[in-house]
Amino acid sequence: MASKNVFFHFVLVSMCLAMSNSAEFKYPAVFNFGDSNSDTGDLAAGLGFQVAPPNGQDYFKIPSGRFCDGRLIVDFLSNFYLYLNSIAMATNTCTLQILYLIAICIPCAISFQLDFPTVFNFGDSNSDTGALIAAGFESLYPPNGQTYFQIPSGRYSDGRLIIDFLMDAMDLPFLNAYLDSLGLPNFRKGCNFAAAAATILPATSSSLCPFSFGVQVSQFLRFKARALELIAKGRKFDKYVPDENIFEKGLYMFDIGQNDLAGAFYSKTLDQILASIPAILLELEKGIKNLYDQGARYFWIHNTGPLGCLPQNIAKFGTDASKLDELGCVSSHNQAAKIFNLQLHALCTKLQGQYPDSNVTYVDIFSIKSNLISNFSRYGFEQPIMACCGFGGPPLNYDSRVSCGETKTFNGTTITAQACNDSSEYISWDGIHYTETANQYVASQILTGKYSDPPFSDKMPFLLKLKF
């Protein structure tokens, strides 16, 4: 075996030397595209599964994300001049820490302090801080991000999301997306596994996003395992990786389920959708149990908002005025959301009883957003339904053919989805997601503690500074 290895290395080095004689083989960086023959961890990190021993045993001593007992061809080639450091964008992310959310939980079965060292978030585009964009599935163009970040930040909004305001209120940094390895992300104070278009149910071949809730939980498990590996290597990773006991002290936040319901209306009846809710929540329960078994004890669970009030759903399903309620929202969508929320609330109560050493907080996002839409002028808004960034003008300013910031040509006519003059006057940003100003209002109401079960208003040490 030893003679074989010597011969192989001799042949490889000879090949590389020959290449260096025939071409300039001194490149400042390497960008690799391929399959498992040169995958150094991307598939394992992206989908959150573990490559089991004895993979990696010959060189790394542990599984490294490579489908081999050691190094790949690309490793040897890269090591010839500068070892390829493409451990996959999400693997870099994985080296960092796990945190989770905020000062917004309530006293429950265990002693509860509004002082979480980390936040771990699971969800969809309502709390995605860059995952789907980093994964390369979509692109965001200006004016996305214009209000706060000045450029598109990976968020589907003109600025900050609800989770950004909650993190800020906790005096914690914004959460980096697990899949975003660029820009020197730091995960010591938290990690965000949420991805736009994600569902609770497993993704299918027709899904817009492969990172469903189960995959996000698997990503967390891989993140934790990788973090503990780095902790064992010494203090040089301290500024990136959380302490081992942080995983039990962190807050685990969930804001997911909207896409399971909204997407189902394109192919199912209302009765069929209502009948599917128990299966959806069973998948959520399974993921939460998995996290509990890994040490999670503080759970913060948002219900889903009034789906029928989103311009996207009104444009598609609200053309018949008889299907709209007094606010101009699609009644069937809001009915599905209410039934889902009732069963989600029951699940939270069940989990609290099942895990008495944990703290499970249910947050009524539906009521907060419904109140905002029905009383928009009281809170300084001019447009409760119409999108700020879109195409088509009143009453919805939404066209499903062109997303915010895009320009497309149809039948010789070029159209552009442009932003309004003042996004702070609008609740809806792009017909699907909220503006920064609306997100700020929702966060402020969350932090009153009045919309949580159990309520925690007497435990809140801070309030958001709002314009309202």
Side-chain angles (χ1 to χ4, degrees), residues 33 142 274 363 375 410 456:
F33 304 84
L274 298 182
V363 185
N375 298 289
F410 300 99
F456 61 90

Side-chain angles (χ1 to χ4, degrees), residues 142-286:
N144 286 287
Q146 67 179 13
T147 300
Y148 183 80
F149 300 98
Q150 311 307 319
I151 59 173
S153 67
R155 294 161 172 80
Y156 290 79
S157 178
D158 62 316
R160 289 165 289 182
L161 307 179
I162 295 169
I163 192 170
D164 294 320
F165 287 107
L166 295 178
M167 296 297 292
D168 194 47
M170 277 281 289
D171 199 26
L172 291 174
F174 294 159
L175 290 178
N176 286 119
Y178 166 77
L179 291 175
D180 193 356
S181 61
L182 297 177
L184 296 177
N186 191 309
F187 297 86
R188 185 160 180 77
K189 294 297 181 182
C191 186
N192 192 1
F193 301 90
T199 55
I200 295 175
L201 291 176
T204 66
S205 58
S206 61
S207 297
L208 299 175
C209 172
F211 307 115
S212 59
F213 179 60
V215 173
Q216 292 180 27
V217 172
S218 295
Q219 289 175 338
F220 167 82
L221 299 181
R222 189 179 191 281
F223 177 86
K224 179 182 178 182
R226 186 80 173 109
L228 296 179
E229 287 176 10
L230 292 171
I231 291 171
K233 291 184 178 180
R235 298 187 59 84
K236 64 180 179 178
F237 294 106
D238 282 358
K239 64 180 180 179
Y240 303 113
V241 183
D243 295 331
E244 185 173 355
N245 61 359
I246 287 298
F247 295 97
E248 293 186 5
K249 296 179 179 179
L251 181 61
Y252 293 74
M253 176 178 276
F254 307 85
D255 191 334
I256 193 168
Q258 174 174 318
N259 296 316
D260 292 270
L261 300 179
F265 275 97
Y266 288 84
S267 60
K268 297 180 180 179
T269 66
L270 175 60
D271 287 341
Q272 289 174 325
I273 292 170
L274 298 182
S276 71
I277 291 176
I280 296 172
L281 293 179
L282 184 63
E283 189 72 18
L284 180 67
E285 180 180 5
K286 183 172 68 174

Side-chain angles (χ1 to χ4, degrees), residues 49-130:
F49 68 81
Q50 297 289 330
V51 179
N55 285 288
Q57 66 181 11
D58 281 359
Y59 182 80
F60 300 99
K61 308 307 180 187
I62 58 173
S64 68
R66 295 160 172 80
F67 294 87
C68 181
D69 61 325
R71 289 167 287 181
L72 306 178
I73 295 172
V74 71
D75 294 320
F76 288 108
L77 293 174
S78 300
N79 194 43
F80 179 69
Y81 61 100
L82 179 63
Y83 197 78
L84 182 63
N85 192 18
S86 64
I87 310 290
M89 60 180 177
T91 305
N92 288 336
T93 307
C94 256
T95 65
L96 315 162
Q97 166 217 17
I98 307 182
L99 317 159
Y100 201 64
L101 156 70
I102 49 234
I104 16 182
C105 253
I106 79 171
C108 229
I110 59 178
S111 176
F112 192 77
Q113 300 294 327
L114 290 170
D115 184 20
F116 294 100
T118 58
V119 173
F120 305 102
N121 185 61
F122 305 82
D124 52 31
S125 58
N126 290 316
S127 60
D128 179 0
T129 54

